[in-house]
């Protein structure tokens, strides 16, 4: 053993080892960065802080801020979202103002934002809140998640708003007509329950001609009337109606199969409202074949 090694105290690390231990210690003590939207848990799982009204309003302000940031990231797809966020402007007391007009363009919502919307909804339910703020939160969430095609978010929100909030804090007739219409379209297009859709339409005495025409087209399986009605719909109505597109498209495919042997490809694309790539992908569902610019629907059976 050398004299240098003998001078070291037993069990004491050398200079290099000491630096490694300090680096390890500092890395363990490094502060974990938590997204503000993940600060709270779900009230249904035991979170109680979101039962406070001030906390709900501050948390919803964070949601609006995040949605506004998302709209800036992709203005081409969410170009009307900023206007809707502005209509729910937060004042110095972090309370949301009353106005909440419909949003007019498609949007994407990150999963963390959708989960945050669920948390604030559950907080409102847990606190039994039924005021203008609660209405505005639910309306904003419903419109946003319909356009983002998040049915797990908009459907329970619609049911609670119409069955509970509207009873304790009545909606305006315009809002009631709009939101009940969304539920009617969900019943008709997603759930394929036209009977329940017509019953709900009658219960709320809906005056929306577009919804009436869409229901009429679905009941008669009239593809042409269906698309004409859909093109007159609002963006939220368009998204809800899209759940019935494939069902109606299959019906048109069956009609074409019984009527034609061959058709021009352009005609089939227009008839099914598909582009060339989509037609090539879904052509197998109809047992058809594409030959150059023709679609072979049926082949003559040899006699």
């Amino acid at each position: 053993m050398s004299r240098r090694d003998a001078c070291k105290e037993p069990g004491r690390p050398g200079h290099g080892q000491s630096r490694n231990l300090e680096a390890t210690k500092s890395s363990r003590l490094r502060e974990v960065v938590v997204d503000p939207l993940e600060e709270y848990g779900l009230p249904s799982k035991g979170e109680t802080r979101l039962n406070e009204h001030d906390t709900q309003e501050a948390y919803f302000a964070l949601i609006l801020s995040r949605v506004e940031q998302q709209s800036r990231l992709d203005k081409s797809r969410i170009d009307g979202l900023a206007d809707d966020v502005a209509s729910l402007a937060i004042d110095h007391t972090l309370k949301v103002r009353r106005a909440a007009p419909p949003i007019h363009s498609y949007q994407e919502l990150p999963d963390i934002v959708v989960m945050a919307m669920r948390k604030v909804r559950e907080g409102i339910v847990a606190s039994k809140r039924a005021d203008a703020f609660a209405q505005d939160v639910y309306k904003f969430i419903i419109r946003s998640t319909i356009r983002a095609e998040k049915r797990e978010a908009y459907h329970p929100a619609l049911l609670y708003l119409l069955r509970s909030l509207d009873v304790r804090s009545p909606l305006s007739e315009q809002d009631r007509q709009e939101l009940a219409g969304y539920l009617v379209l969900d019943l008709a297009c997603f759930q394929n329950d036209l009977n329940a859709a017509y019953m709900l339409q009658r219960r709320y005495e809906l005056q929306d001609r577009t919804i009436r025409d869409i229901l009429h087209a679905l009941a008669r399986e009239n593809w042409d009337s269906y698309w004409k009605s859909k093109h007159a719909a609002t963006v939220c109505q368009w998204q809800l109606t899209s759940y019935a597109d494939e069902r109606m498209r299959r019906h048109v495919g069956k009609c074409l199969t019984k009527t034609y042997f061959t058709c021009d490809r352009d005609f089939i694309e227009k008839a099914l409202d598909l582009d060339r790539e989509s037609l090539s992908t879904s052509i197998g569902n109809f047992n058809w074949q594409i030959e150059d610019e023709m679609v072979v629907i049926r082949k003559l059976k040899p006699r």
Side-chain angles (χ1 to χ4, degrees):
M1 179 184 294
S2 67
R3 183 179 299 178
R4 184 178 180 181
D5 293 336
C7 292
K8 291 183 179 180
E9 294 183 14
R12 184 173 178 176
H15 184 65
Q17 290 176 312
S18 177
R19 283 190 300 180
N20 291 337
L21 287 174
E22 290 176 2
T24 303
K25 185 177 180 181
S26 64
S27 66
R28 290 176 180 173
L29 298 177
R30 189 176 300 159
E31 185 178 355
V32 178
V33 179
V34 179
D35 191 303
L37 292 181
E38 294 182 327
E39 180 180 352
Y40 303 102
L42 287 167
S44 60
K45 302 296 184 182
E47 176 65 73
T48 58
R49 290 174 294 174
L50 281 173
N51 293 359
E52 299 294 331
H53 289 191
D54 290 343
T55 306
Q56 293 169 6
E57 292 162 9
Y59 191 62
F60 186 58
L62 287 174
I63 295 174
L64 290 178
S65 176
R66 188 64 58 86
V67 173
E68 188 174 17
Q69 290 175 14
Q70 180 71 18
S71 70
R72 293 197 190 104
L73 290 174
D74 197 353
K75 290 183 179 179
S76 63
R77 302 187 69 184
I78 330 173
D79 55 357
L81 186 57
D83 295 337
D84 193 73
V85 173
S87 72
L88 290 173
I90 308 299
D91 60 21
H92 65 281
T93 60
L94 289 176
K95 294 190 177 180
V96 178
R97 295 174 188 160
R98 179 74 177 165
I103 314 171
H104 296 290
S105 60
Y106 179 80
Q107 91 182 83
E108 288 183 348
L109 290 177
D111 291 339
I112 189 174
V113 174
V114 177
M115 179 56 70
M117 289 177 172
R118 176 182 172 184
K119 292 173 185 177
V120 74
R121 280 197 300 109
E122 289 188 2
I124 290 172
V125 173
S127 62
K128 298 181 180 179
R129 187 170 185 173
D131 57 4
F133 172 83
Q135 286 187 2
D136 285 337
V137 169
Y138 267 79
K139 288 186 289 186
F140 181 82
I141 290 174
I142 288 167
R143 291 163 180 158
S144 300
T145 53
I146 283 177
R147 295 191 336 278
E149 299 178 353
K150 302 288 186 181
R151 187 177 185 272
E152 72 279 5
Y154 77 72
H155 188 253
L158 264 176
L159 294 179
Y160 183 77
L161 181 59
L162 291 172
R163 295 177 179 178
S164 182
L165 271 182
D166 188 32
V167 175
R168 292 177 291 153
S169 177
L171 295 162
S172 67
E173 185 59 27
Q174 180 180 355
D175 285 339
R176 187 180 295 109
Q177 290 272 317
E178 175 198 349
L179 297 163
Y182 295 158
L183 190 55
V184 167
L185 290 177
D186 181 83
L187 284 166
C189 301
F190 184 88
Q191 301 182 50
N192 195 17
D193 191 344
L194 280 173
N195 184 50
Y198 272 115
M199 290 177 64
L200 194 67
Q201 182 196 34
R202 184 178 182 87
R203 174 185 170 186
Y204 283 98
E205 300 179 349
L206 298 185
Q207 305 299 318
D208 194 315
R209 182 174 180 178
T210 300
I211 293 177
R212 184 196 66 189
D213 292 343
I214 289 172
L215 293 181
H216 190 70
L218 288 171
R220 292 176 174 267
E221 295 184 318
N222 187 325
W223 174 258
D224 184 59
S225 177
Y226 171 79
W227 273 103
K228 287 180 179 178
S229 302
K230 185 172 179 178
H231 281 285
T234 65
V235 172
C236 287
Q237 291 173 342
W238 175 282
Q239 292 290 353
L240 290 167
T241 307
S242 296
Y243 290 118
D245 287 357
E246 197 57 37
R247 186 167 74 247
M248 294 293 287
R249 193 172 282 117
R250 285 197 302 269
H251 174 70
V252 175
K254 291 178 182 178
C255 294
L256 292 172
T257 299
K258 293 179 180 180
T259 307
Y260 297 99
F261 286 97
T262 61
C263 281
D264 292 336
R265 182 168 179 164
D266 290 340
F267 171 78
I268 295 296
E269 290 172 0
K270 291 177 182 178
L272 298 179
D273 193 48
L274 294 173
D275 55 31
R276 296 181 75 85
E277 184 178 352
S278 299
L279 179 62
S280 301
T281 303
S282 59
I283 197 75
N285 297 333
F286 302 107
N287 295 319
W288 299 345
Q289 295 178 351
I290 297 178
E291 296 181 359
D292 297 326
E293 293 301 311
M294 297 293 294
V295 176
V296 179
I297 296 175
R298 286 186 297 161
K299 292 184 177 180
L300 287 171
K301 295 179 180 180
R303 293 182 180 179

